[in-house]
Amino acid sequence: MERSEELHRRLARWRPTYLPLILSFVVVVLGDLWLTGSYSGRLGWPLTVVWTWPLFTTLTGIVGIRRTRRALRESHERWSDGAPVPSGEQLIVAVPTVGRHDTYPALERSVRSYLSHLPDRFPRLRVDVVVDEGCEAAGPIADLAAGSDKVRVVTVPDGYRTPNGTRFKARATHYLAEQRSREGEARDDVWVLHMDDDTGVGPDTALAIARFVAEQAQAGPERKHLAQGILTYPREYAANRLTWLADSARPAEDVGRFSAWTGGGTPRAGVHGELLLVRASIEASIGWDFGPRSLVEDAQFALLFSARYEGRSAWFAGRCYGASPASMRDFFKQRERWSWGLAGLVFNRSLQLRNRLLLGYSVISWVIGPFQNVAVVMLLAFLVADRNTSPVTNIVIPLWALNMAYVIWMYWEGLRVNAAVSENGRRRWWEPFAVIALIPVFGLMEGLSGLRGFVKFARRSENKFQVIAKPS
């Protein structure tokens, strides 16, 4: 309890800072202007395109930083008299799990965090752990549920089929949504908190959700139906230090780009499958029956929500606490699946065109990532016997610098966020230097896995939902 209170005080002081972005921009733009020649070489046009391409993402991220700072300031002013009283609305935590023995320790950690932090804010709490019939860890999961009257195990029958033949995690999530409808819980006053089986909550999570729910109860016609916070990765949950450092980008994305879109009211950039808070009635109207090829059901849900409930999403300051992939192999498998699934959504004509265009821009940014990498560019320059990497016009130099500065900011600020939720609350002296120096490595890790996923989609390979090991 003492550590929880100290963590809560520490996180309450946090604000995303502009300083790394500004300093990086100044350094990079001066360096680029100094190194740029008076004419471009053979790579001039390709580099002008690929190094300028992420500009829209960069500008969106900067808008998100500003929105996050404003949201934190307004929340502090709105709740300056203290925390809200316990909510009278029902909160259901939905936790689908593959139910393997290697994923069970993380599941147990996560469920215990829900029971520790959520009941004080939500007396009407229930945790639904969703498993497939015959999963190997069925016994330990049943024992875990037996320890609290707030936890129940929902078993998806082996013969269950959705009307559209949906598979994998979405199948289990849709089954649970149908069960809530049968039980009369698909109502406006019921909220569903979607969590992964390796992702827990803390005191800040419970407080932020309670405040959001209280605000919506008083919002009238302008009330929101969906919200999301920040994904974080405590150091002590990391089995692999390199993947933990690489995941510094993920909380920064939530503070930047996702805050801009979801916090702006319409989650066109997608949502995460964890720390996703949805009004039960709205979830029932959309469902999760997206068909057998669905690999990123959370993103598809967000695009459908954007088309039907524009302006009705929000961002909140709570965090969830998960674990980075346990190995490089798992890291690549995870990103590959995301790229594969997102590419499928871009070409899904049942989705709104303008949403698919934005998603297509993001997928292209990901797929061309390897060709934006400095090491790859230097190799190409060697192969074409022209080391000149100047653009066709120096006008784009500040744009290149801004894109690079935003990437530096992402890893710097994301590391700061992840360190703050870790046990000692501080970055180790070498971590900021390491995370910046390794950005080219992280770029290759992200880009190559994204490119591989896109190639699998283009080849129409059999889609697979691979569940990686969950460090506890």
Side-chain angles (χ1 to χ4, degrees), residues 213-241:
V213 170
E215 289 165 3
Q216 303 323 304
Q218 303 170 7
E222 300 302 316
R223 62 184 181 169
K224 308 298 184 183
H225 303 314
L226 176 152
Q228 190 145 54
I230 309 172
L231 278 62
T232 67
Y233 302 90
R235 186 187 291 108
E236 51 270 24
Y237 295 168
N240 184 298
R241 190 51 50 88

Side-chain angles (χ1 to χ4, degrees), residues 90-168:
Q90 184 176 6
L91 179 67
I92 300 174
V93 184
V95 195
T97 179
V98 69
R100 295 196 312 246
H101 289 307
D102 64 335
T103 64
Y104 175 77
L107 171 67
E108 181 180 3
R109 164 176 56 79
S110 300
V111 170
R112 294 196 186 283
S113 75
Y114 311 145
L115 299 177
S116 295
H117 299 292
L118 295 175
D120 287 347
R121 305 291 181 185
F122 292 93
R124 297 173 61 201
L125 171 73
R126 190 178 74 238
V127 179
D128 285 343
V129 179
V130 192
V131 300
D132 285 326
E133 183 180 4
C135 69
E136 65 181 43
I141 293 173
D143 293 341
L144 177 65
S148 172
D149 60 0
K150 294 185 178 298
V151 181
R152 74 171 181 177
V153 177
V154 177
T155 301
V156 182
D158 186 59
Y160 171 72
R161 300 289 184 272
T162 71
N164 293 327
T166 296
R167 300 184 292 168
F168 313 128

Side-chain angles (χ1 to χ4, degrees), residues 191 207-217 224 226-227 277 314 316:
W191 292 88
L207 179 61
I209 293 174
R211 287 178 172 177
F212 171 78
V213 170
E215 289 165 3
Q216 303 323 304
K224 308 298 184 183
L226 176 152
L277 185 67
F316 60 82

Side-chain angles (χ1 to χ4, degrees), residues 267-268 270 299-307 345 351 355-356 359:
R268 291 196 173 95
Q300 189 158 353
F301 185 92
L303 296 186
L304 290 170
F305 180 94
S306 297
L345 294 185
L351 300 174
N355 292 336
R356 290 193 289 125
L359 187 60

